[in-house]
Every structure is written in structure tokens, then in C-alpha cells.
Amino acid sequence: MADVADERRVLESVVTDLQIGGERRGGATGARFDVEDPATGEVIASVADGTSDDAVAALEAAVASRAEWAATAPRARGEILRRAFELLVERIDDLALLMTLEMGKPLADSRAEITYAAEFFRWFAEEAVRIDGRYAVAPAGNTRLVVMHHPVGPCLLITPWNFPMAMATRKVGAAIAAGCTMVLKPAALTPLSAFALAGVLEESGLPAGVLNVVTTTKASNVSEPLLADPRLRKLSFTGSTEVGRMLTELAAPNLQRVSMELGGNAPFVVFEDADLDAAIDGAVVAKMRNVGQACTAANRFLVHESLAEQFGSGLAARLGAMRIGRATDPSVEVGPLIDARARAKVDELVDDAQRHGARVLIGGAPIDGPGHFVAPTVLMDVALDARVLREEIFGPVAPITRFVNDDDAIHAANDTAFGLVAYVFTRDLDRALRVCERIETGMIGLNQGLVSNPAAPFGGVKHSGFGREGGPEGIHEYLETKYVAIHTNAV
Ligand code: NAD
């Protein structure tokens, strides 16, 4: 178990200044802001507070290194990523502790995230050397078509606080592999993992100016000047639907390429032929990973009426047995939520559900004291108009409703503006295919509660956004397509 000295050591190992053109420096005004441990409310670090001048300087560094980086051999780009993958894996203990300190998630979740984050670098190290094109004879026969791909150019990458390392690597890894330079703006609540990542990439040989990092308490200091600048060619954003929509509008005048990984409201559907134990195991993962603070978190449990009571009591028993506390202790399974606002919102959703007649199987009462803790909560027979079913919960609360037939289940699953992921539990192959084809999401977990995989295209539809991260698709978000029509008289 980490002691105070370990905590101090990992916190002191992080350089908390902006990274611009290979230099580490404070912001233009010298201002700094505090980062707090959400389990205690104590200040654990002080970080440079970037201004719009700093953001423009970071873009200038990305523009200056653009041509040289695009011309760097794909194998060289891949090998930098491969070295960074190895360093992340080698340093998993310290990086996981750092993440738990700034974000609060259980150490096991932090370790899983470092592994997941590192795997994006291994994946894109392999993709860097597979950026291929196409050669074709035009249908009329007298022209040859050559299709090639080029890096899109300088990118702005904006990441949320809930997966501070993996949301960065799945953008940064793809951009590096494609030959793009970038400005990364991590969330102000969790900047330390991003700084640690920048340090790892520098050690791995990433040239100055390819990755620039700007932290700020005023996010518009970065988005407004950069999206107004035609030299920026791409925005990749992970965060809330509301902010994503606003940034898409800001990108419109310059028609920058945009990828949007936004909010979710995942249905978790258990059919009457499901393996109940497997469904409960899947529910624990889909609900409790990251203490429910995931865009992929199961938000609505739709259970066939014949299994609803058993599923509810089984899930309540599992969630009720989980240990709550400051998650630097490896035996803790439920850490705090990120801040007081997040806790207040979850408490409000639980109250609202109870006012709408939901039955509390476990949890439900607020936890006082320092740290933003919420007890795992299972709510049975939640009314369809309760807010907990309509909004992203972002906490350890599982609302359960019943359904009678497949059509009702599919209709309920699709009855949301979001479309990121759904979880489906059934042992009937025909039913599984029918349901997977009709559910309107970018991803489906079939008989499993986790879909995130660096080799797969992660992303949503509807208000969950557009674009894909990871998989062979991920690198194409950072590549332009050009085709050359070659006249020929050859037959
Ligand atoms: P958020 O939208 O408040 O913030 C996300 C990032 O955007 C942060 O870095 C924030 O500083 C920045 N931001 C906010 N306003 C900005 C502005 N005007 N200009 C530029 N940047 C701005 O979201 P959050 O609370 O940090 O994260 C939680 C949300 O992220 C949830 O809705 C969750 O579902 C979503 N999320 C989605 C995915 C996905 O892949 N689809 C993954 C993780 C999280």
C-alpha cells in the first residue's frame, strides 16, 4: 500500500508547467491553480494557468514543427510510440497512484486505465507503418486512380477528467502515428496524468513542438483563439454533449475537421434467457468502473419482468459489499466522485427517483464528511419520467425498470437522445442479432459489460457524437485523403 512518502514522491515527479515547443514554462501571467485530492479536498499540486497567448504560442510551436514531423519516417514515429508504451507499462505503479490522487478512482481502475492508455500507443505504433493507399483502373479504362493519405495538420485535442490518461493517448497516439502535431488541453481537475504523459513521450524521443500541453482554468482561452485560427486543421474533443456542440459551432467558420466523443445514456438490457450470473457480473463492471463516472457507464437497467427481482437483489448484494474510501488503499473499490457538484447532482437524481416512487434496494442516503463520496445505490421500478433515466448519472447508481417483450425493450433502449453504447444479455443468437441490428448506438457489449478496446472503433451516434477512436479507423481521423487521376493511353 502506498504511504505518504510514495504519494509525495509521485506528485513531486511531475513537472506542472506548460509544455510549448519543447520548453516547460509557466503561463504568460505567472498564475497557477490548485489540484485537489477528491477524497480529502486537500491541495496536492499547483499547476500553470495558461492564457490565450500561451495557447497561440502552443499552436505556433505545432505549426513550426508540422512539416518536419509529417516527413519523419513512419517507422520512426511508430518506435517513439512503442518506447512510450513500454515506459507507461514499466511505471504503472507510480502512474496509477498519481491518477488516483488527482481523480479519486480505485487503484485497480487506475492500473486498468494505464494499461488501456498504453495499449493505444502500442496499437498506433503498429498503425503508423500501415498507412496505405489504393491504385485502381477507372471504370472507363483510360485513367488510373491513385489514392494517398496525408496528415491533416496541427490538431487541438481536448480531454475530460474521468479518464485522464486514456482519453489523451487515444488521440495523441493516433495523431503521432499519422504525422500530425498538436496542442493538448487536459481538464483542469486532472492535469497531472497529462503532464506525466508528456514527460514519457519526451523521454521516448518525441521531437520538441510535436506535442504541446496547455493547462488552464478558462478553457475558452484555448478553444476560441485556436479554432479562430485557420492554421489549426482539426479538433478532437471528448467531453459533454453541451460543450461538444458549442465547440463544433466554433470550428464551423474555418471548417476544421471535428471528432466528437460525447456523453452517453447506456441501456443495459437483460432478456429472459440471459445467464443471470453473467448479467450481474457484467452489470457490476458496466456500472462501477470508475465509480460510474464513464461515458460508457450503464445508465438504465432494462430487465425482463421474469428476472427483475432476482437481478435487482443480486446486483444490490454485490454493490452493497463494495468497500468505500480513499482509493489509495488497494482494498477500496468505491472512491469519491470528482467534486462536490458531481456528488450533489447524483444525490439529487436519487431523491428525484424516490419521489417518483422508486424502491431503494441498497444505498440511497448521502454520505457526509470531506471527500465527495456516494454509496453504491440500486433503485427498483424507477418511473420512466424520473431524471435518473433521462440524464447521464455519472455516479454509482443503478436504476432498474422492467419490460415485457423484445419490442418494448428495444424501444426503451432507443428512447434517448444519446447513442454511445448498449449492453445486451441473451443466450439466443437470433434475438442477439435482431437486437444488435436495431439498437441505435455506436457500440454494443453482447454478454459483456466492457467494450473499450484499443483495437476497436470507439464512438457514438446521435448526441453521443461522431468520429471513431482506436481500431484501424482511429488513425483516419488524422489523415486527409487525396487522389491523383493519371491519364494513360494504356489499355
Ligand atoms: P466537459 O465537457 O465539461 O469538459 C471536457 C473538456 O472540455 C475539459 O477539458 C474542459 O476543460 C473542456 N472544456 C469545457 N468548456 C470548454 C470550452 N469552452 N472550450 C474548450 N474546452 C472546454 O466534460 P467533463 O465533465 O470533463 O467530462 C465528462 C463528460 O465527458 C461526460 O458527458 C462523459 O460522458 C463525456 N465523456 C465521453 C467519452 C466518449 O468517448 N464518448 C469519454 C469520456 C467522457
Side-chain angles (χ1 to χ4, degrees), residues 2 25 33 49 63 189 212 262 293 319 367 433:
R25 61 168 176 80
F33 65 90
D49 197 353
V63 170
L189 289 164
N212 304 279
L262 307 177
Q293 302 169 106
L319 266 48
I367 299 178
L433 287 175

Short mmCIF file of all heavy atoms in Angstrom, two decimals, residues 2 25 33 49 63 189 212 262 293 319 367 433:
data_model
loop_
_atom_site.label_atom_id
_atom_site.label_comp_id
_atom_site.label_asym_id
_atom_site.label_seq_id
_atom_site.Cartn_x
_atom_site.Cartn_y
_atom_site.Cartn_z
N ALA A 2 0.47 2.25 -0.82
CA ALA A 2 1.27 3.47 -0.92
C ALA A 2 1.22 4.23 0.40
O ALA A 2 0.16 4.32 1.02
CB ALA A 2 0.70 4.35 -2.03
N ARG A 25 7.37 25.83 -19.16
CA ARG A 25 7.35 27.18 -18.58
C ARG A 25 6.00 27.51 -17.97
O ARG A 25 4.99 26.87 -18.27
CB ARG A 25 7.72 28.20 -19.65
CG ARG A 25 6.79 28.28 -20.84
CD ARG A 25 7.15 29.54 -21.63
NE ARG A 25 6.43 29.74 -22.84
CZ ARG A 25 5.20 30.23 -22.93
NH1 ARG A 25 4.51 30.49 -21.83
NH2 ARG A 25 4.65 30.44 -24.11
N PHE A 33 -2.91 27.34 -10.62
CA PHE A 33 -4.14 26.91 -9.96
C PHE A 33 -3.89 25.59 -9.22
O PHE A 33 -2.92 24.88 -9.51
CB PHE A 33 -5.32 26.81 -10.94
CG PHE A 33 -5.18 25.76 -12.02
CD1 PHE A 33 -5.65 24.46 -11.82
CD2 PHE A 33 -4.59 26.07 -13.25
CE1 PHE A 33 -5.54 23.50 -12.82
CE2 PHE A 33 -4.47 25.11 -14.25
CZ PHE A 33 -4.95 23.82 -14.04
N ASP A 49 -1.37 28.18 -15.08
CA ASP A 49 -2.69 28.54 -15.61
C ASP A 49 -2.47 29.30 -16.93
O ASP A 49 -2.10 30.48 -16.92
CB ASP A 49 -3.42 29.42 -14.57
CG ASP A 49 -4.91 29.50 -14.84
OD1 ASP A 49 -5.35 29.00 -15.90
OD2 ASP A 49 -5.63 30.06 -13.99
N VAL A 63 2.63 24.43 -35.45
CA VAL A 63 2.71 24.80 -36.87
C VAL A 63 4.17 24.72 -37.33
O VAL A 63 4.48 24.20 -38.41
CB VAL A 63 2.12 26.21 -37.09
CG1 VAL A 63 2.42 26.72 -38.50
CG2 VAL A 63 0.61 26.21 -36.82
N LEU A 189 -9.30 19.75 -13.72
CA LEU A 189 -9.41 18.95 -12.50
C LEU A 189 -8.33 17.88 -12.42
O LEU A 189 -7.98 17.43 -11.33
CB LEU A 189 -10.80 18.29 -12.44
CG LEU A 189 -11.99 19.23 -12.18
CD1 LEU A 189 -13.30 18.53 -12.54
CD2 LEU A 189 -12.01 19.67 -10.72
N ASN A 212 2.30 19.76 -27.59
CA ASN A 212 2.35 20.92 -26.71
C ASN A 212 1.18 20.78 -25.74
O ASN A 212 0.10 20.34 -26.15
CB ASN A 212 2.23 22.20 -27.54
CG ASN A 212 3.32 22.24 -28.61
OD1 ASN A 212 4.45 22.59 -28.33
ND2 ASN A 212 2.98 21.81 -29.83
N LEU A 262 -18.81 12.18 -27.09
CA LEU A 262 -19.62 12.94 -26.13
C LEU A 262 -20.30 12.03 -25.11
O LEU A 262 -19.90 10.90 -24.90
CB LEU A 262 -20.63 13.79 -26.92
CG LEU A 262 -19.97 14.67 -27.99
CD1 LEU A 262 -21.01 15.45 -28.78
CD2 LEU A 262 -18.94 15.61 -27.39
N GLN A 293 -18.37 6.91 -13.24
CA GLN A 293 -18.08 8.15 -13.96
C GLN A 293 -17.46 7.84 -15.32
O GLN A 293 -16.30 8.12 -15.57
CB GLN A 293 -17.14 9.01 -13.13
CG GLN A 293 -17.67 9.36 -11.76
CD GLN A 293 -16.62 9.98 -10.87
OE1 GLN A 293 -16.64 11.16 -10.62
NE2 GLN A 293 -15.68 9.19 -10.41
N LEU A 319 -23.11 -4.78 -4.98
CA LEU A 319 -22.72 -3.38 -4.80
C LEU A 319 -22.64 -3.01 -3.32
O LEU A 319 -21.77 -2.24 -2.91
CB LEU A 319 -23.71 -2.44 -5.53
CG LEU A 319 -23.30 -2.03 -6.94
CD1 LEU A 319 -22.86 -3.17 -7.80
CD2 LEU A 319 -24.40 -1.23 -7.63
N ILE A 367 -23.65 10.61 1.92
CA ILE A 367 -22.57 10.38 2.90
C ILE A 367 -21.96 11.74 3.23
O ILE A 367 -21.51 12.45 2.31
CB ILE A 367 -21.48 9.46 2.30
CG1 ILE A 367 -22.09 8.10 1.94
CG2 ILE A 367 -20.31 9.32 3.25
CD1 ILE A 367 -21.10 7.13 1.31
N LEU A 433 -28.81 -11.03 -32.56
CA LEU A 433 -28.57 -10.34 -33.83
C LEU A 433 -29.66 -9.30 -34.09
O LEU A 433 -29.37 -8.18 -34.51
CB LEU A 433 -28.51 -11.34 -34.97
CG LEU A 433 -27.24 -12.18 -35.00
CD1 LEU A 433 -27.31 -13.24 -36.09
CD2 LEU A 433 -26.01 -11.30 -35.22
#
